[in-house]
Amino acid sequence: MKHILGVLIMMTLGLTACTNNGGGDSEEDRFVEDLLGKMTLEEKIGQMNQRTGQWEMTGPAPKTDGSQQLLDDLKQGRVGSMLNVVGAEATRKAQQLVVENSRLGIPLIFGYDVVHGHQTMFPIPLGEAASWDPELARLSASVAAKEAAANGLQWTFAPMVDVGRDARWGRVMEGAGEDTYLGSAFAIARVQGFQGDDLSNENTIAACAKHFAGYAFSESGRDYNAVEIGGESLHNVVIPPFKAASDAGVATFMNSFNTIDGLPATASSYLQRTLLKGQWEFDGFVVSDWNSIGEMIQHGVAADLKEAALRAIKGGSDMDMEADAYLSHLKELVESGEVDERYVDDAVRRILRIKYRLGLFDDPYKYCNEDREKNSLLTAENKEAARKVASESMVLLKNENNILPINKDIKSIAVVGPLADDKDSPLGNWRAKAISNSAVSLLEGVTTACGNDIKVNYAKGCDLVTGERTFSNILTFNSDDRSGFKEAVKAAKKSDVVLLAIGEDAYQSGEGRSQTDITLSGLQVELFDEIYKVNKNIVVVLMTGRPVVIPELAEKAAAILETWHAGSEAGNAMADVLFGKVNPSGKLPMTFPRSVGQIPIYYNYKNTGRPSGNEMDNLWSRYTDSPNTPQYPFGYGLSYTSFTYSNLNLDKTEIQPGGDVKVSVTVTNTGDVKGKEIVQLYIRDEVAAYARPVKELKGFNKIELDAGESKEVTFTLGKDELGYFHPNGTYVIEKGSFKVMVGSNSAETIETSFVIK
Ligand code: NOJ
């Protein structure tokens, strides 16, 4: 009985979420309702169908190969959106086909993966998150939006707000790392950066929070794999950045390929209807991921495409990307009564609403301005912004004897390594319309910075990748050609300092780029060892799309600067940091493990019943061959100056549930140069109904201090920070004691406590 009642309540909720037309009487509501009223069922279904352009793929080849079929579908109003059609001219042509031929002339919406820049590339999102500066993310997203809009687009499939704890999963490069709080702050900034405060502004585009939900928890880090996640982690770790994006007014959501506890996210009415469209009152639309509706057949939850369409529409997927499921089957499903037409109306209403907000009904060609396009891409101003964001994203992991910043009095510098003069990898994966080989390489940046004063000795040393490198190729790595070693060793031997550029190729991370081994590929560590024999002053300039395992470098390198894939201005930004024009302030948004076997490793783990223990003790929760601790913890990063923390105070030691505590701390720059510090606030809910993490980030603040200067930094902990979700999704603030920890990274904090009574 109880069960039946539950089902009835869920159904009612589902239908409410489905039939909600905004209830308003705005001009927008009237326009949308009026248009919807004129549409035939076929025309409605056409709006729910998204097709890729035939000339660029970001997924397996489309089923409909005949461009004639696509042309017919466009002309007949059987396509509501296209992806992978870019350029003012190309989008104008496609738009014309629809607007001039279809009965109602409803304009297409053009989407594209504009992930970290459009043609001017910014650091990969993981790198950008290392800046811990959401304002920079807002800036890069707004520049990307401006370029994309000038290039014919009005919708990006970004930001990816998946919280990721497994560096084997290649897509961690697209997100903001392992933390929910930091991830939510970046989700909001990126949405606002892309969308501005007015979608109809010709410089803004619609954003898309993806992948709803759980995708980064793919088992064993293998892309597209099943996700098994309990309610507690789902609600506390995975969902909050999506909620933040929804609250920030994101126009669209994308669901995800994976199953969650057996149910494909694409069919999840709990996620898409109960939460998103119901509780969160999201009024935009949900696009499926590439053929994720069709893939429900492989998942084994739909016998055929028709059943997949049925499950997807009921689950709340409004637009079908590339499965052709809605176009082929939705009409018969509605006519047979298996799908209530109100589901279709709801989806179409949402799609029309976003098109309306973008101003497409006023002028379907407003993003197709060739003159604007000519002057908007890769401008000097945009490159300047990219350089700034890149330099703020770099993380100094090691700096023995202050070898950095490079002393301008040195006579010579070796720039060595397979990535040293690579003008392509710094562009990263998911590079939208970046021009191949257009990045400033490390060699170029350093050569400019050295001018005539310091001699630069370059040698590649070895190749990283053998064979062709493209978005769709699986890479192979050089494991036997050491012919360049000699020259590299020679360059190192005659130089005062060696900059060794190693790490990952751009196409080593991103979609479909999972790896079981995240140590450095090919001969890179061997090259390091050979150079180390002749010169110990090695500064490793790491370029990676994920945390990597680098125990030898951590032990032996004089310095390590993690630069990620830093974008168009990579080499200049690296030089800015290496020579001290910019004092590094980035902090890791994701833990660097000591070994792959520690994965998943993240700072906000839950205690075991047998925590830590003495190294020699048996039967404690530890490895017998490795410490539990990571190589570099979450939040970690050095500066060319040093900071101390003191006077950690709370304004109260007892509060009521729902009350606030003010936290203050004094931070002092104890070094010789000006620097920025990211002050991090963590809490631990010490006794709760469900075990809480040993530490949870609940605030951060990036401050700049002159040498010798002190500042008081304050935070407020209130109801949004002090509660958590029970596994059923209920948010609860529980009584008991809380630890408050403040410091420069998740492993080095000072602490105090208070009680909720
Ligand atoms: C598949 C990816 O998972 C998704 O993130 C992307 O937006 C689409 N392909 C479109 O390229």
Side-chain angles (χ1 to χ4, degrees), residues 50 57-59 83-84 112-113 115 157-158 160 171 174 210-211 215 223-224 254-255 257 288-290 321 430 471 511:
Q50 186 188 52
M57 297 308 152
T58 51
L83 76 157
N84 298 336
Y112 196 53
D113 292 284
V115 172
F157 306 128
M160 185 187 97
R171 300 196 77 168
E174 289 174 58
K210 71 185 188 185
H211 306 84
Y215 186 26
D223 210 358
Y224 319 118
M254 185 186 292
N255 56 37
F257 290 121
S288 80
D289 202 344
W290 185 291
M321 182 193 287
W430 286 120
F471 175 76
E511 187 180 350

PDB file of all heavy atoms in Angstrom, residues 50 57-59 83-84 112-113 115 157-158 160 171 174 210-211 215 223-224 254-255 257 288-290 321 430 471 511, ligand 1:
ATOM      1  N   GLN A  50      17.879  16.837 -32.623  1.00  0.00           N
ATOM      2  CA  GLN A  50      19.130  17.561 -32.888  1.00  0.00           C
ATOM      3  C   GLN A  50      20.042  16.718 -33.773  1.00  0.00           C
ATOM      4  O   GLN A  50      20.236  15.526 -33.549  1.00  0.00           O
ATOM      5  CB  GLN A  50      19.869  17.873 -31.577  1.00  0.00           C
ATOM      6  CG  GLN A  50      21.079  18.753 -31.821  1.00  0.00           C
ATOM      7  CD  GLN A  50      21.940  18.927 -30.577  1.00  0.00           C
ATOM      8  OE1 GLN A  50      22.329  17.962 -29.948  1.00  0.00           O
ATOM      9  NE2 GLN A  50      22.225  20.163 -30.230  1.00  0.00           N
ATOM     10  N   MET A  57      32.689  15.760 -36.474  1.00  0.00           N
ATOM     11  CA  MET A  57      32.076  14.809 -35.558  1.00  0.00           C
ATOM     12  C   MET A  57      32.638  14.934 -34.158  1.00  0.00           C
ATOM     13  O   MET A  57      33.832  15.029 -33.974  1.00  0.00           O
ATOM     14  CB  MET A  57      32.370  13.370 -36.010  1.00  0.00           C
ATOM     15  CG  MET A  57      31.795  13.015 -37.335  1.00  0.00           C
ATOM     16  SD  MET A  57      30.056  13.385 -37.413  1.00  0.00           S
ATOM     17  CE  MET A  57      29.928  13.658 -39.162  1.00  0.00           C
ATOM     18  N   THR A  58      31.756  14.875 -33.181  1.00  0.00           N
ATOM     19  CA  THR A  58      32.249  14.761 -31.814  1.00  0.00           C
ATOM     20  C   THR A  58      31.656  13.515 -31.165  1.00  0.00           C
ATOM     21  O   THR A  58      31.529  13.426 -29.966  1.00  0.00           O
ATOM     22  CB  THR A  58      31.895  16.015 -30.992  1.00  0.00           C
ATOM     23  OG1 THR A  58      30.505  16.268 -31.155  1.00  0.00           O
ATOM     24  CG2 THR A  58      32.690  17.210 -31.425  1.00  0.00           C
ATOM     25  N   GLY A  59      31.292  12.565 -32.006  1.00  0.00           N
ATOM     26  CA  GLY A  59      30.774  11.296 -31.514  1.00  0.00           C
ATOM     27  C   GLY A  59      30.868  10.303 -32.643  1.00  0.00           C
ATOM     28  O   GLY A  59      31.295  10.660 -33.750  1.00  0.00           O
ATOM     29  N   LEU A  83      24.248  20.583 -34.118  1.00  0.00           N
ATOM     30  CA  LEU A  83      25.543  20.773 -33.481  1.00  0.00           C
ATOM     31  C   LEU A  83      26.627  20.572 -34.521  1.00  0.00           C
ATOM     32  O   LEU A  83      26.387  19.980 -35.585  1.00  0.00           O
ATOM     33  CB  LEU A  83      25.748  19.825 -32.290  1.00  0.00           C
ATOM     34  CG  LEU A  83      26.071  18.346 -32.508  1.00  0.00           C
ATOM     35  CD1 LEU A  83      26.770  17.803 -31.281  1.00  0.00           C
ATOM     36  CD2 LEU A  83      24.818  17.535 -32.770  1.00  0.00           C
ATOM     37  N   ASN A  84      27.779  21.096 -34.217  1.00  0.00           N
ATOM     38  CA  ASN A  84      28.942  20.951 -35.102  1.00  0.00           C
ATOM     39  C   ASN A  84      28.764  21.613 -36.469  1.00  0.00           C
ATOM     40  O   ASN A  84      29.324  21.161 -37.461  1.00  0.00           O
ATOM     41  CB  ASN A  84      29.304  19.466 -35.277  1.00  0.00           C
ATOM     42  CG  ASN A  84      29.683  18.836 -33.945  1.00  0.00           C
ATOM     43  OD1 ASN A  84      30.096  19.526 -33.034  1.00  0.00           O
ATOM     44  ND2 ASN A  84      29.530  17.541 -33.836  1.00  0.00           N
ATOM     45  N   TYR A 112      27.559  23.810 -29.827  1.00  0.00           N
ATOM     46  CA  TYR A 112      28.932  23.373 -30.088  1.00  0.00           C
ATOM     47  C   TYR A 112      29.651  23.240 -28.752  1.00  0.00           C
ATOM     48  O   TYR A 112      29.279  23.894 -27.775  1.00  0.00           O
ATOM     49  CB  TYR A 112      29.629  24.441 -30.953  1.00  0.00           C
ATOM     50  CG  TYR A 112      30.898  23.988 -31.633  1.00  0.00           C
ATOM     51  CD1 TYR A 112      30.928  22.843 -32.422  1.00  0.00           C
ATOM     52  CD2 TYR A 112      32.076  24.726 -31.508  1.00  0.00           C
ATOM     53  CE1 TYR A 112      32.088  22.451 -33.071  1.00  0.00           C
ATOM     54  CE2 TYR A 112      33.237  24.342 -32.156  1.00  0.00           C
ATOM     55  CZ  TYR A 112      33.238  23.200 -32.937  1.00  0.00           C
ATOM     56  OH  TYR A 112      34.383  22.817 -33.578  1.00  0.00           O
ATOM     57  N   ASP A 113      30.692  22.425 -28.729  1.00  0.00           N
ATOM     58  CA  ASP A 113      31.438  22.265 -27.479  1.00  0.00           C
ATOM     59  C   ASP A 113      32.470  23.387 -27.326  1.00  0.00           C
ATOM     60  O   ASP A 113      33.625  23.236 -27.707  1.00  0.00           O
ATOM     61  CB  ASP A 113      32.138  20.907 -27.448  1.00  0.00           C
ATOM     62  CG  ASP A 113      31.151  19.756 -27.348  1.00  0.00           C
ATOM     63  OD1 ASP A 113      30.623  19.531 -26.253  1.00  0.00           O
ATOM     64  OD2 ASP A 113      30.892  19.101 -28.384  1.00  0.00           O
ATOM     65  N   VAL A 115      34.394  24.825 -24.783  1.00  0.00           N
ATOM     66  CA  VAL A 115      34.657  24.355 -23.424  1.00  0.00           C
ATOM     67  C   VAL A 115      35.633  25.245 -22.664  1.00  0.00           C
ATOM     68  O   VAL A 115      35.423  25.582 -21.507  1.00  0.00           O
ATOM     69  CB  VAL A 115      35.151  22.889 -23.482  1.00  0.00           C
ATOM     70  CG1 VAL A 115      35.625  22.404 -22.122  1.00  0.00           C
ATOM     71  CG2 VAL A 115      34.043  21.983 -24.009  1.00  0.00           C
ATOM     72  N   PHE A 157      27.912  23.510 -25.149  1.00  0.00           N
ATOM     73  CA  PHE A 157      27.706  22.353 -24.275  1.00  0.00           C
ATOM     74  C   PHE A 157      28.728  22.446 -23.145  1.00  0.00           C
ATOM     75  O   PHE A 157      29.622  21.609 -23.008  1.00  0.00           O
ATOM     76  CB  PHE A 157      27.862  21.053 -25.046  1.00  0.00           C
ATOM     77  CG  PHE A 157      26.984  20.966 -26.269  1.00  0.00           C
ATOM     78  CD1 PHE A 157      27.514  20.654 -27.510  1.00  0.00           C
ATOM     79  CD2 PHE A 157      25.628  21.202 -26.172  1.00  0.00           C
ATOM     80  CE1 PHE A 157      26.708  20.581 -28.635  1.00  0.00           C
ATOM     81  CE2 PHE A 157      24.805  21.138 -27.296  1.00  0.00           C
ATOM     82  CZ  PHE A 157      25.348  20.825 -28.534  1.00  0.00           C
ATOM     83  N   ALA A 158      28.637  23.431 -22.357  1.00  0.00           N
ATOM     84  CA  ALA A 158      29.537  23.665 -21.231  1.00  0.00           C
ATOM     85  C   ALA A 158      28.805  24.600 -20.262  1.00  0.00           C
ATOM     86  O   ALA A 158      27.910  25.320 -20.686  1.00  0.00           O
ATOM     87  CB  ALA A 158      30.842  24.310 -21.713  1.00  0.00           C
ATOM     88  N   MET A 160      31.011  21.640 -18.023  1.00  0.00           N
ATOM     89  CA  MET A 160      30.906  20.311 -17.427  1.00  0.00           C
ATOM     90  C   MET A 160      31.108  20.500 -15.932  1.00  0.00           C
ATOM     91  O   MET A 160      32.153  20.988 -15.517  1.00  0.00           O
ATOM     92  CB  MET A 160      31.980  19.371 -17.988  1.00  0.00           C
ATOM     93  CG  MET A 160      31.789  17.955 -17.450  1.00  0.00           C
ATOM     94  SD  MET A 160      33.103  16.802 -17.865  1.00  0.00           S
ATOM     95  CE  MET A 160      34.073  16.892 -16.366  1.00  0.00           C
ATOM     96  N   ARG A 171      38.203  12.721 -18.757  1.00  0.00           N
ATOM     97  CA  ARG A 171      37.400  13.937 -18.818  1.00  0.00           C
ATOM     98  C   ARG A 171      37.541  14.809 -17.585  1.00  0.00           C
ATOM     99  O   ARG A 171      36.885  15.855 -17.505  1.00  0.00           O
ATOM    100  CB  ARG A 171      35.936  13.593 -19.085  1.00  0.00           C
ATOM    101  CG  ARG A 171      35.764  12.847 -20.389  1.00  0.00           C
ATOM    102  CD  ARG A 171      34.347  12.826 -20.883  1.00  0.00           C
ATOM    103  NE  ARG A 171      33.975  14.100 -21.486  1.00  0.00           N
ATOM    104  CZ  ARG A 171      32.870  14.287 -22.209  1.00  0.00           C
ATOM    105  NH1 ARG A 171      32.055  13.266 -22.424  1.00  0.00           N
ATOM    106  NH2 ARG A 171      32.583  15.462 -22.713  1.00  0.00           N
ATOM    107  N   GLU A 174      37.933  18.506 -18.145  1.00  0.00           N
ATOM    108  CA  GLU A 174      36.838  19.416 -18.505  1.00  0.00           C
ATOM    109  C   GLU A 174      36.121  20.016 -17.309  1.00  0.00           C
ATOM    110  O   GLU A 174      35.248  20.868 -17.474  1.00  0.00           O
ATOM    111  CB  GLU A 174      35.778  18.656 -19.312  1.00  0.00           C
ATOM    112  CG  GLU A 174      36.187  18.269 -20.685  1.00  0.00           C
ATOM    113  CD  GLU A 174      35.121  17.400 -21.330  1.00  0.00           C
ATOM    114  OE1 GLU A 174      33.972  17.840 -21.450  1.00  0.00           O
ATOM    115  OE2 GLU A 174      35.439  16.255 -21.706  1.00  0.00           O
ATOM    116  N   LYS A 210      26.436  19.992 -17.635  1.00  0.00           N
ATOM    117  CA  LYS A 210      26.487  18.579 -17.998  1.00  0.00           C
ATOM    118  C   LYS A 210      27.485  17.864 -17.113  1.00  0.00           C
ATOM    119  O   LYS A 210      28.338  18.516 -16.508  1.00  0.00           O
ATOM    120  CB  LYS A 210      26.851  18.424 -19.481  1.00  0.00           C
ATOM    121  CG  LYS A 210      28.305  18.781 -19.824  1.00  0.00           C
ATOM    122  CD  LYS A 210      28.537  18.724 -21.325  1.00  0.00           C
ATOM    123  CE  LYS A 210      30.018  18.887 -21.646  1.00  0.00           C
ATOM    124  NZ  LYS A 210      30.286  18.961 -23.086  1.00  0.00           N
ATOM    125  N   HIS A 211      27.430  16.551 -16.978  1.00  0.00           N
ATOM    126  CA  HIS A 211      26.502  15.598 -17.564  1.00  0.00           C
ATOM    127  C   HIS A 211      25.654  15.089 -16.410  1.00  0.00           C
ATOM    128  O   HIS A 211      26.207  14.450 -15.499  1.00  0.00           O
ATOM    129  CB  HIS A 211      27.235  14.442 -18.227  1.00  0.00           C
ATOM    130  CG  HIS A 211      28.260  14.889 -19.252  1.00  0.00           C
ATOM    131  ND1 HIS A 211      29.524  15.268 -18.941  1.00  0.00           N
ATOM    132  CD2 HIS A 211      28.164  15.021 -20.596  1.00  0.00           C
ATOM    133  CE1 HIS A 211      30.202  15.595 -20.042  1.00  0.00           C
ATOM    134  NE2 HIS A 211      29.397  15.461 -21.055  1.00  0.00           N
ATOM    135  N   TYR A 215      28.415  11.064 -14.096  1.00  0.00           N
ATOM    136  CA  TYR A 215      29.305  10.565 -15.152  1.00  0.00           C
ATOM    137  C   TYR A 215      30.750  10.389 -14.680  1.00  0.00           C
ATOM    138  O   TYR A 215      31.429   9.425 -15.031  1.00  0.00           O
ATOM    139  CB  TYR A 215      29.214  11.558 -16.309  1.00  0.00           C
ATOM    140  CG  TYR A 215      29.911  11.238 -17.595  1.00  0.00           C
ATOM    141  CD1 TYR A 215      30.172   9.928 -17.999  1.00  0.00           C
ATOM    142  CD2 TYR A 215      30.286  12.273 -18.452  1.00  0.00           C
ATOM    143  CE1 TYR A 215      30.796   9.673 -19.220  1.00  0.00           C
ATOM    144  CE2 TYR A 215      30.906  12.024 -19.659  1.00  0.00           C
ATOM    145  CZ  TYR A 215      31.161  10.721 -20.038  1.00  0.00           C
ATOM    146  OH  TYR A 215      31.783  10.477 -21.237  1.00  0.00           O
ATOM    147  N   ASP A 223      35.788   5.483 -19.337  1.00  0.00           N
ATOM    148  CA  ASP A 223      34.731   6.349 -19.846  1.00  0.00           C
ATOM    149  C   ASP A 223      33.479   5.551 -20.196  1.00  0.00           C
ATOM    150  O   ASP A 223      33.562   4.422 -20.690  1.00  0.00           O
ATOM    151  CB  ASP A 223      35.228   7.120 -21.076  1.00  0.00           C
ATOM    152  CG  ASP A 223      34.532   8.472 -21.199  1.00  0.00           C
ATOM    153  OD1 ASP A 223      33.656   8.760 -20.365  1.00  0.00           O
ATOM    154  OD2 ASP A 223      34.878   9.243 -22.109  1.00  0.00           O
ATOM    155  N   TYR A 224      32.362   6.151 -19.944  1.00  0.00           N
ATOM    156  CA  TYR A 224      31.022   5.623 -20.247  1.00  0.00           C
ATOM    157  C   TYR A 224      30.606   4.463 -19.331  1.00  0.00           C
ATOM    158  O   TYR A 224      29.563   3.860 -19.511  1.00  0.00           O
ATOM    159  CB  TYR A 224      30.882   5.159 -21.712  1.00  0.00           C
ATOM    160  CG  TYR A 224      31.529   6.060 -22.740  1.00  0.00           C
ATOM    161  CD1 TYR A 224      32.559   5.602 -23.558  1.00  0.00           C
ATOM    162  CD2 TYR A 224      31.100   7.372 -22.898  1.00  0.00           C
ATOM    163  CE1 TYR A 224      33.142   6.424 -24.509  1.00  0.00           C
ATOM    164  CE2 TYR A 224      31.682   8.206 -23.847  1.00  0.00           C
ATOM    165  CZ  TYR A 224      32.714   7.729 -24.649  1.00  0.00           C
ATOM    166  OH  TYR A 224      33.294   8.548 -25.587  1.00  0.00           O
ATOM    167  N   MET A 254      22.519  18.865 -19.980  1.00  0.00           N
ATOM    168  CA  MET A 254      22.727  17.660 -20.790  1.00  0.00           C
ATOM    169  C   MET A 254      22.770  16.480 -19.832  1.00  0.00           C
ATOM    170  O   MET A 254      23.393  16.553 -18.775  1.00  0.00           O
ATOM    171  CB  MET A 254      24.051  17.732 -21.565  1.00  0.00           C
ATOM    172  CG  MET A 254      24.265  16.557 -22.521  1.00  0.00           C
ATOM    173  SD  MET A 254      25.920  16.571 -23.294  1.00  0.00           S
ATOM    174  CE  MET A 254      25.823  17.999 -24.344  1.00  0.00           C
ATOM    175  N   ASN A 255      22.084  15.411 -20.206  1.00  0.00           N
ATOM    176  CA  ASN A 255      22.170  14.244 -19.329  1.00  0.00           C
ATOM    177  C   ASN A 255      23.404  13.423 -19.689  1.00  0.00           C
ATOM    178  O   ASN A 255      24.219  13.843 -20.500  1.00  0.00           O
ATOM    179  CB  ASN A 255      20.868  13.444 -19.320  1.00  0.00           C
ATOM    180  CG  ASN A 255      20.450  13.001 -20.697  1.00  0.00           C
ATOM    181  OD1 ASN A 255      21.279  12.663 -21.525  1.00  0.00           O
ATOM    182  ND2 ASN A 255      19.147  13.027 -20.947  1.00  0.00           N
ATOM    183  N   PHE A 257      25.742   9.639 -20.313  1.00  0.00           N
ATOM    184  CA  PHE A 257      25.729   8.317 -20.943  1.00  0.00           C
ATOM    185  C   PHE A 257      25.502   7.180 -19.946  1.00  0.00           C
ATOM    186  O   PHE A 257      24.982   6.135 -20.297  1.00  0.00           O
ATOM    187  CB  PHE A 257      27.104   8.053 -21.582  1.00  0.00           C
ATOM    188  CG  PHE A 257      27.422   8.886 -22.784  1.00  0.00           C
ATOM    189  CD1 PHE A 257      28.527   9.717 -22.794  1.00  0.00           C
ATOM    190  CD2 PHE A 257      26.641   8.808 -23.931  1.00  0.00           C
ATOM    191  CE1 PHE A 257      28.862  10.464 -23.918  1.00  0.00           C
ATOM    192  CE2 PHE A 257      26.963   9.554 -25.064  1.00  0.00           C
ATOM    193  CZ  PHE A 257      28.077  10.384 -25.056  1.00  0.00           C
ATOM    194  N   SER A 288      19.827  15.289 -24.617  1.00  0.00           N
ATOM    195  CA  SER A 288      20.488  14.014 -24.302  1.00  0.00           C
ATOM    196  C   SER A 288      21.949  14.158 -24.689  1.00  0.00           C
ATOM    197  O   SER A 288      22.326  15.099 -25.391  1.00  0.00           O
ATOM    198  CB  SER A 288      19.866  12.882 -25.113  1.00  0.00           C
ATOM    199  OG  SER A 288      20.383  12.884 -26.446  1.00  0.00           O
ATOM    200  N   ASP A 289      22.794  13.234 -24.236  1.00  0.00           N
ATOM    201  CA  ASP A 289      24.143  13.233 -24.788  1.00  0.00           C
ATOM    202  C   ASP A 289      24.085  12.468 -26.115  1.00  0.00           C
ATOM    203  O   ASP A 289      23.057  11.900 -26.493  1.00  0.00           O
ATOM    204  CB  ASP A 289      25.161  12.653 -23.809  1.00  0.00           C
ATOM    205  CG  ASP A 289      26.587  13.140 -24.129  1.00  0.00           C
ATOM    206  OD1 ASP A 289      26.802  13.658 -25.245  1.00  0.00           O
ATOM    207  OD2 ASP A 289      27.474  13.008 -23.284  1.00  0.00           O
ATOM    208  N   TRP A 290      25.172  12.465 -26.810  1.00  0.00           N
ATOM    209  CA  TRP A 290      25.249  11.928 -28.177  1.00  0.00           C
ATOM    210  C   TRP A 290      24.751  10.473 -28.217  1.00  0.00           C
ATOM    211  O   TRP A 290      25.423   9.566 -27.709  1.00  0.00           O
ATOM    212  CB  TRP A 290      26.698  12.014 -28.666  1.00  0.00           C
ATOM    213  CG  TRP A 290      26.936  11.613 -30.084  1.00  0.00           C
ATOM    214  CD1 TRP A 290      26.838  10.341 -30.597  1.00  0.00           C
ATOM    215  CD2 TRP A 290      27.316  12.458 -31.172  1.00  0.00           C
ATOM    216  NE1 TRP A 290      27.135  10.346 -31.930  1.00  0.00           N
ATOM    217  CE2 TRP A 290      27.440  11.633 -32.307  1.00  0.00           C
ATOM    218  CE3 TRP A 290      27.574  13.824 -31.301  1.00  0.00           C
ATOM    219  CZ2 TRP A 290      27.820  12.133 -33.557  1.00  0.00           C
ATOM    220  CZ3 TRP A 290      27.949  14.314 -32.542  1.00  0.00           C
ATOM    221  CH2 TRP A 290      28.059  13.472 -33.654  1.00  0.00           C
ATOM    222  N   MET A 321      19.869  14.134 -29.024  1.00  0.00           N
ATOM    223  CA  MET A 321      21.080  14.383 -29.797  1.00  0.00           C
ATOM    224  C   MET A 321      21.470  13.102 -30.529  1.00  0.00           C
ATOM    225  O   MET A 321      21.895  12.125 -29.912  1.00  0.00           O
ATOM    226  CB  MET A 321      22.236  14.837 -28.883  1.00  0.00           C
ATOM    227  CG  MET A 321      23.525  15.154 -29.620  1.00  0.00           C
ATOM    228  SD  MET A 321      24.982  15.327 -28.525  1.00  0.00           S
ATOM    229  CE  MET A 321      24.700  16.880 -27.735  1.00  0.00           C
ATOM    230  N   TRP A 430      39.207  19.302 -26.506  1.00  0.00           N
ATOM    231  CA  TRP A 430      37.977  20.111 -26.576  1.00  0.00           C
ATOM    232  C   TRP A 430      38.361  21.555 -26.886  1.00  0.00           C
ATOM    233  O   TRP A 430      38.092  22.464 -26.112  1.00  0.00           O
ATOM    234  CB  TRP A 430      37.190  20.051 -25.272  1.00  0.00           C
ATOM    235  CG  TRP A 430      36.481  18.775 -25.053  1.00  0.00           C
ATOM    236  CD1 TRP A 430      36.679  17.921 -23.996  1.00  0.00           C
ATOM    237  CD2 TRP A 430      35.457  18.171 -25.854  1.00  0.00           C
ATOM    238  NE1 TRP A 430      35.849  16.832 -24.106  1.00  0.00           N
ATOM    239  CE2 TRP A 430      35.089  16.953 -25.232  1.00  0.00           C
ATOM    240  CE3 TRP A 430      34.821  18.520 -27.056  1.00  0.00           C
ATOM    241  CZ2 TRP A 430      34.111  16.100 -25.751  1.00  0.00           C
ATOM    242  CZ3 TRP A 430      33.855  17.669 -27.577  1.00  0.00           C
ATOM    243  CH2 TRP A 430      33.504  16.477 -26.926  1.00  0.00           C
ATOM    244  N   PHE A 471      41.853  14.374 -32.796  1.00  0.00           N
ATOM    245  CA  PHE A 471      40.794  14.213 -31.795  1.00  0.00           C
ATOM    246  C   PHE A 471      40.304  12.763 -31.765  1.00  0.00           C
ATOM    247  O   PHE A 471      40.018  12.207 -30.720  1.00  0.00           O
ATOM    248  CB  PHE A 471      39.643  15.161 -32.133  1.00  0.00           C
ATOM    249  CG  PHE A 471      38.454  15.013 -31.242  1.00  0.00           C
ATOM    250  CD1 PHE A 471      38.480  15.527 -29.957  1.00  0.00           C
ATOM    251  CD2 PHE A 471      37.305  14.367 -31.680  1.00  0.00           C
ATOM    252  CE1 PHE A 471      37.380  15.398 -29.118  1.00  0.00           C
ATOM    253  CE2 PHE A 471      36.194  14.238 -30.853  1.00  0.00           C
ATOM    254  CZ  PHE A 471      36.244  14.762 -29.569  1.00  0.00           C
ATOM    255  N   GLU A 511      37.361  13.247 -23.782  1.00  0.00           N
ATOM    256  CA  GLU A 511      36.411  12.140 -23.917  1.00  0.00           C
ATOM    257  C   GLU A 511      37.084  10.900 -24.510  1.00  0.00           C
ATOM    258  O   GLU A 511      37.872  10.995 -25.449  1.00  0.00           O
ATOM    259  CB  GLU A 511      35.231  12.554 -24.798  1.00  0.00           C
ATOM    260  CG  GLU A 511      34.153  11.479 -24.800  1.00  0.00           C
ATOM    261  CD  GLU A 511      32.947  11.831 -25.659  1.00  0.00           C
ATOM    262  OE1 GLU A 511      32.848  12.984 -26.110  1.00  0.00           O
ATOM    263  OE2 GLU A 511      32.119  10.920 -25.875  1.00  0.00           O
TER     264      GLU A 511
HETATM  265  C1  NOJ B   1      29.552  13.712 -26.246  1.00  0.00           C
HETATM  266  C2  NOJ B   1      30.063  14.349 -24.979  1.00  0.00           C
HETATM  267  O1  NOJ B   1      29.896  13.478 -23.889  1.00  0.00           O
HETATM  268  C3  NOJ B   1      29.391  15.661 -24.676  1.00  0.00           C
HETATM  269  O2  NOJ B   1      29.997  16.236 -23.553  1.00  0.00           O
HETATM  270  C4  NOJ B   1      29.437  16.563 -25.865  1.00  0.00           C
HETATM  271  O3  NOJ B   1      28.863  17.803 -25.559  1.00  0.00           O
HETATM  272  C5  NOJ B   1      28.705  15.892 -27.015  1.00  0.00           C
HETATM  273  N1  NOJ B   1      29.364  14.650 -27.334  1.00  0.00           N
HETATM  274  C6  NOJ B   1      28.634  16.768 -28.240  1.00  0.00           C
HETATM  275  O4  NOJ B   1      29.872  16.905 -28.817  1.00  0.00           O
END
